[in-house]
Amino acid sequence: MYVIDFRHDLNLLDIRWTGIFTDEVIADYARLLKRQFIEQGFQPGYLLRMDVTDSAVQTQDAVGSFGRNLGDFPKARRIAIVTPSVIARMQVRRVMTQPYLRIFSLAKPALKWLLAEAEPAGGHGPAGVPD
């Protein structure tokens, strides 16, 4: 369902999702993610890449459950979402309105943008731009 990788060398939380999440899976995922965040010594201001290429568009119930379970998660400095799906992009834009978020079709350009500190994060609107 998910792979979580804390990359200390880049201050990057790298997450990959697969499948559709249920309330139970979301609760387990949130507990694990919060625990590992502390254990790994990460702090607010990290970089986040979420690759949802192999994940289906989530149900409205799942979207609400993510909000309830992760609403208090420490804030990232930049967020890159990876998905080629137009529907998934629409869902991300509706739910995640952070001005420091962009959506990409491929993982490599997402990482490149995350690491390009000189580029302004919110220059093209609140939910990212086409790549």
Side-chain angles (χ1 to χ4, degrees), residues 4-131:
I4 301 168
D5 186 14
F6 288 88
R7 297 188 54 188
H8 291 274
D9 58 328
L10 301 175
N11 195 29
L12 173 69
L13 174 52
D14 208 4
I15 299 173
R16 184 171 183 85
W17 286 359
T18 58
I20 294 178
F21 285 70
T22 63
D23 281 340
E24 183 179 340
V25 171
I26 293 167
D28 290 343
Y29 167 76
R31 280 190 294 275
L32 177 66
L33 188 58
K34 289 175 181 180
R35 187 183 80 238
Q36 286 186 353
F37 190 89
I38 292 167
E39 289 173 354
Q40 292 287 328
F42 266 55
Q43 300 291 320
Y46 61 96
L47 302 171
L48 172 62
R49 178 172 61 173
M50 291 188 61
D51 189 337
V52 297
T53 301
D54 297 323
S55 179
V57 174
Q58 301 301 314
T59 66
Q60 290 301 348
D61 289 341
V63 169
S65 184
F66 279 113
R68 287 188 302 279
N69 284 282
L70 290 167
D72 61 346
F73 198 76
K75 184 178 171 182
R77 182 173 67 245
R78 282 185 165 195
I79 301 171
I81 305 294
V82 180
T83 180
S85 164
V86 173
I87 295 171
R89 285 173 179 252
M90 289 170 45
Q91 185 176 58
V92 168
R93 286 187 179 113
R94 185 175 45 77
V95 175
M96 300 178 75
T97 60
Q98 296 94 330
Y100 48 89
L101 177 142
R102 284 189 51 188
I103 303 171
F104 297 85
S105 296
L106 300 169
K108 270 189 168 179
L111 182 60
K112 184 177 178 180
W113 175 77
L114 283 169
L115 299 176
E117 292 297 327
E119 180 185 339
H124 297 289
V129 297
D131 29 297

